[in-house]
Amino acid sequence: MATTAKKKLVQWDPTDIKAEMIAKYPPKVARKRAKQIMINEALENETPEILANVRTIPGIITMRGCTYAGCKGVIMGPTRDIVNLVHGPIGCGFYAWLTRRNQTEPGPDGENYMNYCFSTDMQDSDIIFGGEKRLIKAIQEAYDLFHPKAIGVFATCPVGLIGDDIHTIAKNMKKKLGDCNVFAFSCEGYKGVSQSAGHHIANNQVFRHVVGENDTPKEGEFKINLLGEYNIGGDGFEIDRIFKKCGITNISTFSGNSTYDQFASAHQADLSAVMCHRSINYVADMLEVKYGIPWIKVNFIGAEATAKSLRKIAMYFENQAFIDRVEKVIAEEMPDVEAAIADVLPRTKGKTAMIFVGGSRAHHYQELFKEMGMKVISAGYEFAHRDDYEGRQVLPLKVDADSRNIEEIEVEADPNLFHPRKSKEELEALEKAGLQFRHYDGLIPDMEKGTLVIDDLNQHEAEKLVELMKPDIFCAGIKEKFSIQKLGVPMKQLHSYDSGGPYAGFKGAINFYHEIDRLVNSKVWSYMKAPWQENPQLAGAYVWE
Ligand code: CFM
């Protein structure tokens, strides 16, 4: 029975909270979780190590998804003109079908397969006798019906277990069809400890099979790739609006509102701007090694962060007219932002928030809360790696049994297409002036001392945290939404944005301020009573304990 849970912790002590969160675990589990729950020391040059990207302990209700979700759903899902064919039982396809609010603009060609659910619909007999024939038939059928530019085949768990050779099938079908690029992803759900493994698999295959395929020159003076932006709730549309205003040509977004042609032309950009570091850093690195395109970290969540990111892009191109134009855009956009802040601030200042999302938003969204005068008292990722917490200086990380499953592809400078966009001296001069390349500081340095940084938070711990620290708002996903609301605390989904958004860029920031103001000041939650406030808590014990 928890005892301190009944104490009303007005002035909470992070050490007590941590102890309380793991108090009910068996000793071995508690020891492991203790390494994933960190009381932030926010040290200047050094951050303490956090355990991340490790298996969730069986029995714990994790917030994570599977490797297939990371590959098919996250990276490849937002590309409208590739047929994403799921090889597996229908359930895997169905639950990746329009469940992530990545939006798209069909464009003049109108090619858009996003609202379809393509699956081989594997049956028992396929599991027993093999599913290859069924896959070949499905690829042919998709081609005959739609004549797409490309078909991506995604392996679900049973495919890996029975050993269907999806890569050979893809190769043969590509040859047979002639005008359709067919490639496959060994992204079985069990391949890694979370969806993060799926990101890596998707990065590798897109780079191997698509990037560099289109050499038709792309016009534009300031050409960039926007990596790790998925157009959830229209975020990418807002960012593209700002880019257009600034005169930035976005060659390819990986992968919000993207097309096959964008991926195929990515090698023509002169800079990669990385938004979600976790999901796409592999492509950023490979583009640099193979084609000579440097990358910088950006963040378009938060008005100040957006301005800062635009300035970084402008700085890179070293063109005064462009720098001036970017400044003009910022000056035009900021008054509305400032007015919105002035409106909400008296109601939001001093309120507290918790953010537990994916592998980058738990960091990025802190910018928006800061702008509203709110304090993030606890945050963490579901599946990020140590570099997303502590910064890229901790790289390379130790390869363990789970990461060994994921292919690392060796990339070399392309004999024809490699050309360094900046000389070594130019890059050094820019670094000296404050523009950092291949750099990400991670979440920890941005959080205050004494806050709790928690990796792979689970349902039990989430409830404990909320019960003890009573934040004014809790941000996570649909699985957490209702259990948190039942605790009397407003909950905002930061994966799907509930039905809201965009929250990126300047206009997005304004949307977010109003939404959070509405939520943290809503009276409705204070009328709710948690069950334990009225009835004594029931506690059970396992017989074999
Ligand atoms: Fe990157 Fe994402 Fe995220 Fe992510 Fe995701 Fe997402 Fe996310 Mo949900 S790619 S790591 S795997 S920013 S789907 S758009 S919201 S968990 S924080």
Side-chain angles (χ1 to χ4, degrees):
M1 243 326 265
T3 48
T4 48
K6 286 179 185 154
K7 229 174 26 186
K8 179 132 178 77
L9 290 172
V10 181
Q11 217 34 53
W12 41 264
D13 177 337
T15 319
D16 291 348
I17 307 248
K18 179 171 174 175
E20 187 61 32
M21 282 171 74
I22 57 176
K24 278 212 161 181
Y25 291 141
K28 215 174 140 190
V29 176
R31 265 202 305 279
K32 189 171 177 192
R33 284 304 297 158
K35 291 184 200 154
Q36 291 177 273
I37 303 172
M38 206 189 79
I39 299 162
N40 194 21
E41 293 172 32
L43 299 175
E44 276 279 295
N45 300 315
E46 198 186 324
T47 47
E49 193 174 319
I50 188 163
L51 185 67
N53 191 32
V54 291
R55 290 181 197 191
T56 303
I57 298 153
I60 277 182
I61 304 174
T62 174
M63 290 158 69
R64 286 172 165 176
C66 71
T67 300
Y68 155 78
C71 181
K72 193 268 175 194
V74 174
I75 309 291
M76 300 311 290
T79 309
R80 66 174 164 88
D81 59 357
I82 297 179
V83 165
N84 286 330
L85 174 58
V86 177
H87 189 30
I90 194 63
C92 297
F94 184 80
Y95 285 105
W97 182 34
L98 298 179
T99 48
R100 185 163 168 263
R101 292 186 62 239
N102 46 267
Q103 300 184 359
T104 200
E105 177 67 59
D109 58 32
E111 237 184 305
N112 179 17
Y113 307 119
M114 210 98 94
N115 40 5
Y116 290 90
C117 176
F118 298 93
S119 167
T120 54
D121 185 21
M122 266 186 147
Q123 303 295 315
D124 289 0
S125 58
D126 304 311
I127 307 285
I128 296 161
F129 299 111
E132 295 188 349
K133 281 193 193 122
R134 203 177 180 96
L135 176 60
I136 293 168
K137 233 175 103 195
I139 296 173
Q140 187 66 51
E141 192 182 335
Y143 178 80
D144 292 342
L145 283 171
F146 298 101
H147 290 281
K149 295 181 187 76
I151 298 174
V153 174
F154 299 85
T156 56
C157 292
V159 171
L161 296 174
I162 64 175
D164 279 0
D165 187 356
I166 56 171
H167 298 286
T168 301
I169 292 172
K171 205 168 116 201
N172 293 343
M173 288 307 283
K174 180 181 173 178
K175 210 164 145 208
K176 183 182 170 204
L177 302 175
D179 62 352
C180 177
N181 192 353
V182 188
F183 40 88
F185 300 83
S186 289
C187 57
E188 291 85 351
Y190 59 76
K191 262 284 162 68
V193 300
S194 70
Q195 53 267 63
S196 167
H199 301 151
H200 197 165
I201 293 163
N203 278 225
N204 286 350
Q205 293 301 77
V206 169
F207 196 80
R208 186 182 265 150
H209 294 282
V210 188
V211 172
E213 288 289 299
N214 189 350
D215 268 332
T216 315
K218 295 278 172 194
E219 298 302 318
E221 210 175 341
F222 309 109
K223 291 184 282 195
I224 70 161
N225 294 317
L226 178 61
L227 306 185
E229 205 308 304
Y230 299 92
N231 203 19
I232 308 297
D235 276 354
F237 293 148
E238 164 65 0
I239 298 171
D240 278 338
R241 178 189 72 86
I242 300 168
F243 281 175
K244 226 171 152 192
K245 230 176 143 182
C246 292
I248 298 167
T249 304
N250 185 6
I251 297 290
S252 72
T253 300
F254 280 65
S255 57
N257 190 33
S258 62
T259 58
Y260 178 83
D261 177 59
Q262 286 189 22
F263 291 156
S265 312
H267 62 299
Q268 297 192 38
D270 294 317
L271 173 72
S272 294
V274 175
M275 175 108 168
C276 168
H277 171 265
R278 179 66 271 134
S279 63
I280 211 81
N281 69 86
Y282 319 95
V283 163
D285 279 339
M286 291 187 284
L287 280 169
E288 177 154 28
V289 175
K290 191 164 179 187
Y291 303 107
I293 309 169
W295 70 263
I296 56 168
K297 176 77 180 68
V298 293
N299 173 23
F300 291 102
I301 302 293
E304 275 304 324
T306 300
K308 199 170 148 198
S309 298
L310 292 172
R311 288 188 176 115
K312 274 171 140 181
I313 295 170
M315 186 177 176
Y316 170 81
F317 284 99
E318 300 177 281
N319 176 308
Q320 196 54 47
F322 178 41
I323 294 170
D324 294 345
R325 185 165 169 184
V326 164
E327 285 304 331
K328 198 169 151 253
V329 171
I330 295 169
E332 274 169 23
E333 298 282 337
M334 282 311 273
D336 285 354
V337 170
E338 280 151 14
I341 293 178
D343 172 23
V344 302
L345 204 64
R347 292 182 300 273
T348 54
K349 199 168 180 218
K351 303 258 187 205
T352 57
M354 292 181 177
I355 321 176
F356 292 94
V357 206
S360 79
R361 293 187 173 183
H363 182 198
H364 289 164
Y365 274 79
Q366 302 211 10
E367 296 281 342
L368 281 166
F369 283 114
K370 264 184 219 152
E371 288 170 357
M372 305 178 76
M374 291 176 63
K375 186 179 165 183
V376 178
I377 51 178
S378 185
Y381 299 124
E382 288 171 41
F383 51 75
H385 302 195
R386 273 185 61 208
D387 43 333
D388 305 292
Y389 285 105
E390 300 169 52
R392 277 177 67 96
Q393 70 279 359
V394 301
L395 295 174
L397 297 172
K398 213 174 72 219
V399 177
D400 62 15
D402 293 309
S403 29
R404 206 166 285 134
N405 281 336
I406 318 301
E407 187 192 14
E408 283 286 347
I409 56 177
E410 285 294 325
V411 177
E412 285 173 4
D414 188 287
N416 304 315
L417 297 171
F418 179 83
H419 74 96
R421 303 317 200 259
K422 299 263 179 195
S423 68
K424 208 169 145 252
E425 294 71 34
E426 284 172 321
L427 287 175
E428 274 170 16
L430 282 168
E431 288 246 357
K432 260 208 191 112
L435 190 62
Q436 291 173 297
F437 294 95
R438 272 182 308 256
H439 184 82
Y440 177 42
D441 274 334
L443 166 148
I444 288 174
D446 271 347
M447 289 193 68
E448 281 181 29
K449 196 169 188 283
T451 52
L452 282 150
V453 181
I454 306 168
D455 182 62
D456 188 16
L457 185 77
N458 56 56
Q459 173 147 19
H460 165 69
E461 292 169 12
E463 289 194 2
K464 275 272 163 263
L465 256 188
V466 168
E467 196 185 313
L468 296 169
M469 295 175 93
K470 280 271 179 263
D472 293 301
I473 193 161
F474 190 94
C475 305
I478 187 67
K479 298 197 287 291
E480 294 74 50
K481 186 163 182 86
F482 302 102
S483 66
I484 297 297
Q485 287 182 163
K486 282 178 191 164
L487 299 176
V489 170
M491 199 282 179
K492 176 68 189 166
Q493 289 191 67
L494 281 191
H495 298 260
S496 71
Y497 301 164
D498 294 293
S499 51
Y503 297 137
F506 300 110
K507 288 199 164 49
I510 296 170
N511 285 341
F512 193 78
Y513 306 147
H514 292 315
E515 173 75 346
I516 298 301
D517 173 26
R518 189 177 67 79
L519 282 167
V520 297
N521 290 299
S522 163
K523 292 263 189 299
V524 68
W525 307 105
S526 60
Y527 299 142
M528 294 198 52
K529 279 230 158 98
W532 67 82
Q533 288 172 299
E534 290 180 333
N535 299 305
Q537 189 177 347
L538 291 176
Y542 295 110
V543 283
W544 56 83
E545 254 184 2

PDB file of all heavy atoms in Angstrom, residues 74 100 195 199 230 232 276 278-279 357-362 382-383 494-495, ligand 1:
ATOM      1  N   VAL A  74       5.024   5.984 -39.481  1.00  0.00           N
ATOM      2  CA  VAL A  74       5.661   7.277 -39.227  1.00  0.00           C
ATOM      3  C   VAL A  74       6.424   7.811 -40.438  1.00  0.00           C
ATOM      4  O   VAL A  74       6.135   8.890 -40.933  1.00  0.00           O
ATOM      5  CB  VAL A  74       6.582   7.208 -37.982  1.00  0.00           C
ATOM      6  CG1 VAL A  74       7.354   8.504 -37.791  1.00  0.00           C
ATOM      7  CG2 VAL A  74       5.761   6.887 -36.758  1.00  0.00           C
ATOM      8  N   ARG A 100      -2.818   8.426 -37.946  1.00  0.00           N
ATOM      9  CA  ARG A 100      -1.889   9.494 -37.555  1.00  0.00           C
ATOM     10  C   ARG A 100      -2.283  10.706 -38.380  1.00  0.00           C
ATOM     11  O   ARG A 100      -2.375  10.611 -39.583  1.00  0.00           O
ATOM     12  CB  ARG A 100      -0.464   9.053 -37.879  1.00  0.00           C
ATOM     13  CG  ARG A 100       0.628   9.995 -37.424  1.00  0.00           C
ATOM     14  CD  ARG A 100       1.913   9.197 -37.450  1.00  0.00           C
ATOM     15  NE  ARG A 100       3.119   9.951 -37.308  1.00  0.00           N
ATOM     16  CZ  ARG A 100       3.873  10.342 -38.325  1.00  0.00           C
ATOM     17  NH1 ARG A 100       3.521  10.084 -39.557  1.00  0.00           N
ATOM     18  NH2 ARG A 100       5.002  10.978 -38.108  1.00  0.00           N
ATOM     19  N   GLN A 195       9.232   1.805 -31.879  1.00  0.00           N
ATOM     20  CA  GLN A 195       9.118   2.280 -33.255  1.00  0.00           C
ATOM     21  C   GLN A 195      10.418   2.901 -33.760  1.00  0.00           C
ATOM     22  O   GLN A 195      10.608   3.071 -34.960  1.00  0.00           O
ATOM     23  CB  GLN A 195       7.950   3.255 -33.434  1.00  0.00           C
ATOM     24  CG  GLN A 195       7.877   4.443 -32.501  1.00  0.00           C
ATOM     25  CD  GLN A 195       7.034   4.147 -31.291  1.00  0.00           C
ATOM     26  OE1 GLN A 195       7.370   3.264 -30.510  1.00  0.00           O
ATOM     27  NE2 GLN A 195       5.939   4.876 -31.115  1.00  0.00           N
ATOM     28  N   HIS A 199      12.099   3.561 -37.702  1.00  0.00           N
ATOM     29  CA  HIS A 199      12.591   4.784 -38.348  1.00  0.00           C
ATOM     30  C   HIS A 199      13.894   4.477 -39.090  1.00  0.00           C
ATOM     31  O   HIS A 199      14.080   4.852 -40.230  1.00  0.00           O
ATOM     32  CB  HIS A 199      12.912   5.876 -37.319  1.00  0.00           C
ATOM     33  CG  HIS A 199      11.760   6.300 -36.463  1.00  0.00           C
ATOM     34  ND1 HIS A 199      11.931   6.780 -35.185  1.00  0.00           N
ATOM     35  CD2 HIS A 199      10.429   6.310 -36.688  1.00  0.00           C
ATOM     36  CE1 HIS A 199      10.757   7.089 -34.673  1.00  0.00           C
ATOM     37  NE2 HIS A 199       9.830   6.806 -35.565  1.00  0.00           N
ATOM     38  N   TYR A 230       6.385  15.909 -40.191  1.00  0.00           N
ATOM     39  CA  TYR A 230       5.418  14.930 -40.712  1.00  0.00           C
ATOM     40  C   TYR A 230       4.030  15.509 -40.980  1.00  0.00           C
ATOM     41  O   TYR A 230       3.082  14.764 -41.177  1.00  0.00           O
ATOM     42  CB  TYR A 230       5.383  13.707 -39.780  1.00  0.00           C
ATOM     43  CG  TYR A 230       6.757  13.065 -39.726  1.00  0.00           C
ATOM     44  CD1 TYR A 230       7.679  13.426 -38.747  1.00  0.00           C
ATOM     45  CD2 TYR A 230       7.160  12.184 -40.714  1.00  0.00           C
ATOM     46  CE1 TYR A 230       8.968  12.899 -38.745  1.00  0.00           C
ATOM     47  CE2 TYR A 230       8.441  11.648 -40.718  1.00  0.00           C
ATOM     48  CZ  TYR A 230       9.332  12.010 -39.731  1.00  0.00           C
ATOM     49  OH  TYR A 230      10.606  11.492 -39.746  1.00  0.00           O
ATOM     50  N   ILE A 232       1.697  16.788 -39.204  1.00  0.00           N
ATOM     51  CA  ILE A 232       0.588  16.419 -38.324  1.00  0.00           C
ATOM     52  C   ILE A 232      -0.276  17.670 -38.127  1.00  0.00           C
ATOM     53  O   ILE A 232       0.257  18.752 -37.825  1.00  0.00           O
ATOM     54  CB  ILE A 232       1.092  15.903 -36.953  1.00  0.00           C
ATOM     55  CG1 ILE A 232       2.129  14.788 -37.126  1.00  0.00           C
ATOM     56  CG2 ILE A 232      -0.084  15.450 -36.076  1.00  0.00           C
ATOM     57  CD1 ILE A 232       1.682  13.536 -37.794  1.00  0.00           C
ATOM     58  N   CYS A 276      12.867  16.654 -36.441  1.00  0.00           N
ATOM     59  CA  CYS A 276      12.846  15.534 -35.487  1.00  0.00           C
ATOM     60  C   CYS A 276      14.129  14.733 -35.648  1.00  0.00           C
ATOM     61  O   CYS A 276      14.265  13.929 -36.568  1.00  0.00           O
ATOM     62  CB  CYS A 276      11.629  14.652 -35.731  1.00  0.00           C
ATOM     63  SG  CYS A 276      11.724  13.095 -34.831  1.00  0.00           S
ATOM     64  N   ARG A 278      15.386  12.346 -33.828  1.00  0.00           N
ATOM     65  CA  ARG A 278      15.327  10.903 -33.582  1.00  0.00           C
ATOM     66  C   ARG A 278      14.964  10.088 -34.815  1.00  0.00           C
ATOM     67  O   ARG A 278      15.563   9.085 -35.121  1.00  0.00           O
ATOM     68  CB  ARG A 278      14.309  10.609 -32.458  1.00  0.00           C
ATOM     69  CG  ARG A 278      14.119   9.154 -32.105  1.00  0.00           C
ATOM     70  CD  ARG A 278      15.375   8.538 -31.488  1.00  0.00           C
ATOM     71  NE  ARG A 278      16.297   7.968 -32.440  1.00  0.00           N
ATOM     72  CZ  ARG A 278      17.610   8.164 -32.435  1.00  0.00           C
ATOM     73  NH1 ARG A 278      18.190   8.935 -31.558  1.00  0.00           N
ATOM     74  NH2 ARG A 278      18.384   7.594 -33.333  1.00  0.00           N
ATOM     75  N   SER A 279      13.957  10.575 -35.539  1.00  0.00           N
ATOM     76  CA  SER A 279      13.412   9.725 -36.590  1.00  0.00           C
ATOM     77  C   SER A 279      14.188   9.780 -37.901  1.00  0.00           C
ATOM     78  O   SER A 279      14.024   8.909 -38.736  1.00  0.00           O
ATOM     79  CB  SER A 279      11.953  10.111 -36.856  1.00  0.00           C
ATOM     80  OG  SER A 279      11.883  11.444 -37.326  1.00  0.00           O
ATOM     81  N   VAL A 357       6.021  12.371 -24.871  1.00  0.00           N
ATOM     82  CA  VAL A 357       5.699  12.055 -26.264  1.00  0.00           C
ATOM     83  C   VAL A 357       6.947  11.560 -26.986  1.00  0.00           C
ATOM     84  O   VAL A 357       8.029  12.111 -26.806  1.00  0.00           O
ATOM     85  CB  VAL A 357       5.203  13.299 -27.048  1.00  0.00           C
ATOM     86  CG1 VAL A 357       4.311  12.892 -28.203  1.00  0.00           C
ATOM     87  CG2 VAL A 357       4.495  14.289 -26.164  1.00  0.00           C
ATOM     88  N   GLY A 358       6.747  10.565 -27.812  1.00  0.00           N
ATOM     89  CA  GLY A 358       7.699  10.086 -28.809  1.00  0.00           C
ATOM     90  C   GLY A 358       9.170  10.257 -28.588  1.00  0.00           C
ATOM     91  O   GLY A 358       9.742   9.791 -27.592  1.00  0.00           O
ATOM     92  N   GLY A 359       9.807  10.930 -29.544  1.00  0.00           N
ATOM     93  CA  GLY A 359      11.253  11.044 -29.508  1.00  0.00           C
ATOM     94  C   GLY A 359      11.765  12.436 -29.789  1.00  0.00           C
ATOM     95  O   GLY A 359      12.967  12.650 -29.897  1.00  0.00           O
ATOM     96  N   SER A 360      10.850  13.417 -29.907  1.00  0.00           N
ATOM     97  CA  SER A 360      11.343  14.784 -30.064  1.00  0.00           C
ATOM     98  C   SER A 360      10.390  15.836 -29.497  1.00  0.00           C
ATOM     99  O   SER A 360      10.819  16.866 -29.026  1.00  0.00           O
ATOM    100  CB  SER A 360      11.662  15.091 -31.533  1.00  0.00           C
ATOM    101  OG  SER A 360      10.484  15.376 -32.264  1.00  0.00           O
ATOM    102  N   ARG A 361       9.115  15.575 -29.541  1.00  0.00           N
ATOM    103  CA  ARG A 361       8.168  16.612 -29.125  1.00  0.00           C
ATOM    104  C   ARG A 361       8.240  16.937 -27.642  1.00  0.00           C
ATOM    105  O   ARG A 361       7.924  18.067 -27.246  1.00  0.00           O
ATOM    106  CB  ARG A 361       6.752  16.202 -29.507  1.00  0.00           C
ATOM    107  CG  ARG A 361       6.609  16.178 -30.994  1.00  0.00           C
ATOM    108  CD  ARG A 361       5.201  15.945 -31.428  1.00  0.00           C
ATOM    109  NE  ARG A 361       5.161  16.104 -32.871  1.00  0.00           N
ATOM    110  CZ  ARG A 361       4.083  16.025 -33.602  1.00  0.00           C
ATOM    111  NH1 ARG A 361       2.925  15.783 -33.032  1.00  0.00           N
ATOM    112  NH2 ARG A 361       4.129  16.185 -34.891  1.00  0.00           N
ATOM    113  N   ALA A 362       8.623  15.977 -26.813  1.00  0.00           N
ATOM    114  CA  ALA A 362       8.735  16.255 -25.378  1.00  0.00           C
ATOM    115  C   ALA A 362       9.766  17.360 -25.150  1.00  0.00           C
ATOM    116  O   ALA A 362       9.741  18.051 -24.136  1.00  0.00           O
ATOM    117  CB  ALA A 362       9.120  14.995 -24.624  1.00  0.00           C
ATOM    118  N   GLU A 382       9.247   8.487 -25.305  1.00  0.00           N
ATOM    119  CA  GLU A 382       8.846   7.081 -25.272  1.00  0.00           C
ATOM    120  C   GLU A 382       9.990   6.179 -25.722  1.00  0.00           C
ATOM    121  O   GLU A 382      10.184   5.094 -25.208  1.00  0.00           O
ATOM    122  CB  GLU A 382       7.684   6.841 -26.249  1.00  0.00           C
ATOM    123  CG  GLU A 382       6.367   7.413 -25.820  1.00  0.00           C
ATOM    124  CD  GLU A 382       5.348   7.321 -26.950  1.00  0.00           C
ATOM    125  OE1 GLU A 382       5.304   6.285 -27.638  1.00  0.00           O
ATOM    126  OE2 GLU A 382       4.615   8.295 -27.153  1.00  0.00           O
ATOM    127  N   PHE A 383      10.700   6.627 -26.762  1.00  0.00           N
ATOM    128  CA  PHE A 383      11.622   5.698 -27.425  1.00  0.00           C
ATOM    129  C   PHE A 383      12.904   6.356 -27.902  1.00  0.00           C
ATOM    130  O   PHE A 383      13.616   5.813 -28.727  1.00  0.00           O
ATOM    131  CB  PHE A 383      10.910   5.049 -28.616  1.00  0.00           C
ATOM    132  CG  PHE A 383      10.266   6.068 -29.515  1.00  0.00           C
ATOM    133  CD1 PHE A 383      11.036   6.831 -30.370  1.00  0.00           C
ATOM    134  CD2 PHE A 383       8.903   6.287 -29.468  1.00  0.00           C
ATOM    135  CE1 PHE A 383      10.451   7.790 -31.177  1.00  0.00           C
ATOM    136  CE2 PHE A 383       8.310   7.250 -30.283  1.00  0.00           C
ATOM    137  CZ  PHE A 383       9.084   8.002 -31.141  1.00  0.00           C
ATOM    138  N   LEU A 494      -0.421  15.320 -27.847  1.00  0.00           N
ATOM    139  CA  LEU A 494       0.600  15.972 -28.661  1.00  0.00           C
ATOM    140  C   LEU A 494       1.131  15.086 -29.789  1.00  0.00           C
ATOM    141  O   LEU A 494       2.089  15.453 -30.456  1.00  0.00           O
ATOM    142  CB  LEU A 494       1.745  16.495 -27.795  1.00  0.00           C
ATOM    143  CG  LEU A 494       1.450  17.815 -27.082  1.00  0.00           C
ATOM    144  CD1 LEU A 494       2.698  18.409 -26.455  1.00  0.00           C
ATOM    145  CD2 LEU A 494       0.805  18.844 -28.007  1.00  0.00           C
ATOM    146  N   HIS A 495       0.518  13.930 -29.992  1.00  0.00           N
ATOM    147  CA  HIS A 495       0.821  13.166 -31.216  1.00  0.00           C
ATOM    148  C   HIS A 495      -0.142  13.655 -32.301  1.00  0.00           C
ATOM    149  O   HIS A 495       0.250  14.169 -33.317  1.00  0.00           O
ATOM    150  CB  HIS A 495       0.607  11.668 -31.011  1.00  0.00           C
ATOM    151  CG  HIS A 495       1.473  11.053 -29.980  1.00  0.00           C
ATOM    152  ND1 HIS A 495       2.606  10.337 -30.295  1.00  0.00           N
ATOM    153  CD2 HIS A 495       1.378  11.015 -28.637  1.00  0.00           C
ATOM    154  CE1 HIS A 495       3.164   9.891 -29.174  1.00  0.00           C
ATOM    155  NE2 HIS A 495       2.433  10.288 -28.163  1.00  0.00           N
TER     156      HIS A 495
HETATM  157 FE1  CFM B   1       9.647  12.410 -34.505  1.00  0.00          FE
HETATM  158 FE2  CFM B   1       7.161  12.588 -34.955  1.00  0.00          FE
HETATM  159 FE3  CFM B   1       8.234  12.520 -32.542  1.00  0.00          FE
HETATM  160 FE4  CFM B   1       8.327  10.317 -34.093  1.00  0.00          FE
HETATM  161 FE5  CFM B   1       5.874   9.450 -33.356  1.00  0.00          FE
HETATM  162 FE6  CFM B   1       4.679  11.706 -34.221  1.00  0.00          FE
HETATM  163 FE7  CFM B   1       5.832  11.621 -31.839  1.00  0.00          FE
HETATM  164 MO1  CFM B   1       3.645  10.257 -32.309  1.00  0.00          MO
HETATM  165  S1  CFM B   1       8.510  11.214 -35.935  1.00  0.00           S
HETATM  166  S2  CFM B   1       9.775  11.140 -32.762  1.00  0.00           S
HETATM  167  S3  CFM B   1       7.515   8.259 -34.072  1.00  0.00           S
HETATM  168  S4  CFM B   1       8.304  14.051 -33.948  1.00  0.00           S
HETATM  169  S5  CFM B   1       4.095   9.677 -34.475  1.00  0.00           S
HETATM  170  S6  CFM B   1       5.227  13.086 -35.810  1.00  0.00           S
HETATM  171  S7  CFM B   1       4.009  12.501 -32.423  1.00  0.00           S
HETATM  172  S8  CFM B   1       5.565   9.579 -31.291  1.00  0.00           S
HETATM  173  S9  CFM B   1       7.307  12.895 -30.688  1.00  0.00           S
END
